[in-house]
């Protein structure tokens, strides 16, 4: 029997500059009632994503958040009441359930999954994160065996999967990360060929040394100064996959664009291509099948960074923006029944 | 009988900021003698290209020029002495002959042409300019019928051909140029659907009004602030062809990269792709055949801006950088015998 209250994190105040936990407030409200055609979901696992910071900044592919809004988030839930024939009590679903314990929502906003692995895997390798890495590297970047692939935020959710797929596909893999500890983990545990710390004063030299043939594919999760540095190390004909701009989210004063655009793009015949995952929606099932096979054969490992309890969601996001996570960060709220 | 002297323009001093005619000096030197295996070419027509300013600025696909160097330039010449079995006296050739009356050069640096049209056409539509427009628009930009194509420096050498090809291919064509007079010429004489003056204080609004469906393909010859403005007007899935950075050549302080890179690339699934023409070298003959057919059927007109006499080469380049040309600028030095 579900509780009759619902705890939810709301936006208390929009950040002007760096995000802090004080920008959110935890409210206890009445448990929502599903309308006709809706279901009530209990939230089990919440995905913590840097994009959440972008939603607090400006209109993106969704409208900018306002003070008072429930913080949205991709999550896994379980149907506990159903006013729809499409979903039954007990079903496990994914969708934008938000930072809260319960969400009333129409089935059109949900995807039913039949989990055969730990639920957390469906937020990491077998979810948006894994699909973003898979389609971004293979379809947008067209990385080929023998090429050098560089990925930024390499110890993060998407980056750690990108690197593992690239290694599996026969590429030389170089990770850019924000600490020497993460770098050691990438090479020792994740099978990266090299790692470079962007905070190293010799970052530029270290990157070039790690990529003696130049960079054929750069999977960019961060933008900013790191992108500018990698641009200078690209090999002729190289491809830059524009996936995220993490360095630009948590600030009131985004950088100008990287120098070298478009001059270096011309001189080195480079391409930059941005993408949003839904472009590949028709092929998600194929991607997930492949990723599941690779989990089975051990060629990729899920790397999950779990915080326990809904109350930790804000610190989870603030920390993520500061690089405190290793792999896919998520909040465990409840277990299915 | 060729003259025994050679007039040539040398780099007198490298520019720190804006280029001026005083950065060049005209010297009269002995006519060069071709070595074994070389030919002596009389220079007939010199192509004036903005890239010449870039060569004075930094290493590009060629090493930066130094004071004292002969100013290089693509040109049409005629063989007047030959120490090579590959070329005969009287042959018409193209290659990097420089701003001078005579050049001694190996045949490997030359391309023989058998002209059936005015020689000037081989520097405009049937030369590097036309090929750049052709491959850039069709192969890099993949412009399709019904799409909106925007081209900057639209009244310039490459831009005027890009626009005419796009119109022929069934696109809506919008030219960006630097004066209302050029804009009127683009729409009245060149068949562009609309033209926008980037010096207009309402440039951004005017561009959007001219592109109600957004910009599907932007053929960028200029970079800088214009690129930043067009980025904001791109349609989802749009392609930016990075061909030139004219706004950044003639300055000691190049702009930072455009804002919106890579953020807008992601949000709108845009691509930017730089290219250098030699990528398509294996297909030049096909491109030239097609361009010749289009000249024949009237679907494109050559637009040529001819200065008379070698002495006018520096003013030709300085003026080009200030937008004084209409179409392909070239210097007529001599006629073939």
């Amino acid at each position: 029997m579900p509780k009759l209250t619902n705890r939810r994190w709301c936006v208390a105040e929009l950040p002007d500059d760096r995000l802090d936990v004080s920008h959110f407030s935890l409210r206890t409200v009445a448990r929502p009632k599903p309308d006709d055609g809706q279901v009530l979901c209990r939230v089990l696992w919440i995905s913590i994503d840097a994009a959440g910071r972008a939603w607090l900044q400006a209109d993106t592919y969704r409208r900018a958040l306002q003070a008072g809004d429930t913080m949205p988030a991709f999550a896994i839930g379980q149907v506990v009441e159903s006013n729809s024939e499409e979903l039954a009590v007990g079903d496990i679903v994914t969708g934008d359930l938000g930072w809260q314990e319960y969400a009333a929502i129409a089935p059109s906003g949900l995807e039913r999954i039949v989990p055969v692995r730990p639920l957390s895997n469906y937020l990491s390798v077998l979810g948006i994160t894994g699909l973003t890495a898979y389609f971004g590297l293979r379809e947008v970047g067209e990385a080929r065996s023998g090429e050098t692939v560089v990925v930024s935020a390499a110890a993060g959710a998407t980056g750690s999967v990108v690197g593992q797929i690239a290694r599996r596909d026969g590429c030389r893999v170089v990770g850019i990360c924000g600490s020497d500890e993460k770098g050691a983990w990438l090479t020792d545990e994740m099978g990266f060929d090299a790692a470079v710390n962007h905070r190293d004063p010799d970052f530029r030299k270290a990157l070039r040394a790690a990529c003696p043939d130049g960079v054929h594919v750069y999977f960019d999760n961060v933008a900013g100064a790191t992108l500018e540095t990698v641009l200078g190390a690209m090999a002729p004909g190289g491809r830059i996959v524009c996936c995220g701009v993490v360095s630009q989210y948590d600030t009131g004063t985004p950088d100008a664009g990287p120098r070298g655009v478009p001059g270096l793009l011309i001189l080195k015949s480079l391409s930059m291509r941005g993408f949003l995952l839904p472009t590949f929606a028709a092929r998600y099932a194929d991607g997930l099948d492949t990723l599941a096979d690779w989990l089975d054969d051990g060629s990729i490992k899920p790397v999950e960074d779990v915080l326990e309890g809904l109350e930790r969601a804000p610190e989870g996001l603030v920390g993520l923006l500061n690089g405190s996570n290793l792999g896919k960060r998520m909040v465990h709220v409840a277990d299915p029944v």
Side-chain angles (χ1 to χ4, degrees), chain A residues 136-218:
Chain A
L137 182 67
R138 294 188 137 206
E139 301 293 323
V140 183
E142 300 179 272
R144 291 183 288 267
S145 177
E147 291 191 319
T148 296
V149 171
V150 170
V151 57
S152 53
T158 306
S160 59
V161 182
V162 167
Q164 292 185 87
I165 296 175
R167 186 200 54 186
R168 191 209 155 277
D169 285 349
C171 301
R172 174 174 174 80
V173 184
V174 177
I176 298 174
C177 57
S179 76
D180 293 343
E181 292 68 28
K182 284 180 180 171
W185 176 79
L186 289 170
T187 52
D188 298 350
E189 305 290 325
M190 288 289 108
F192 282 51
D193 295 286
V196 188
N197 181 349
H198 67 82
R199 295 194 167 97
D200 183 338
D202 285 328
F203 169 49
R204 188 175 153 277
K205 275 190 192 165
L207 177 69
R208 286 176 185 247
C211 305
D213 300 328
V215 180
H216 300 103
V217 176
Y218 173 44

Side-chain angles (χ1 to χ4, degrees), chain A residues 2 6 57 93 113 188 246 289:
Chain A
N6 180 32
Q57 191 177 40
V93 294
I113 60 174
D188 298 350
V246 168
D289 283 349

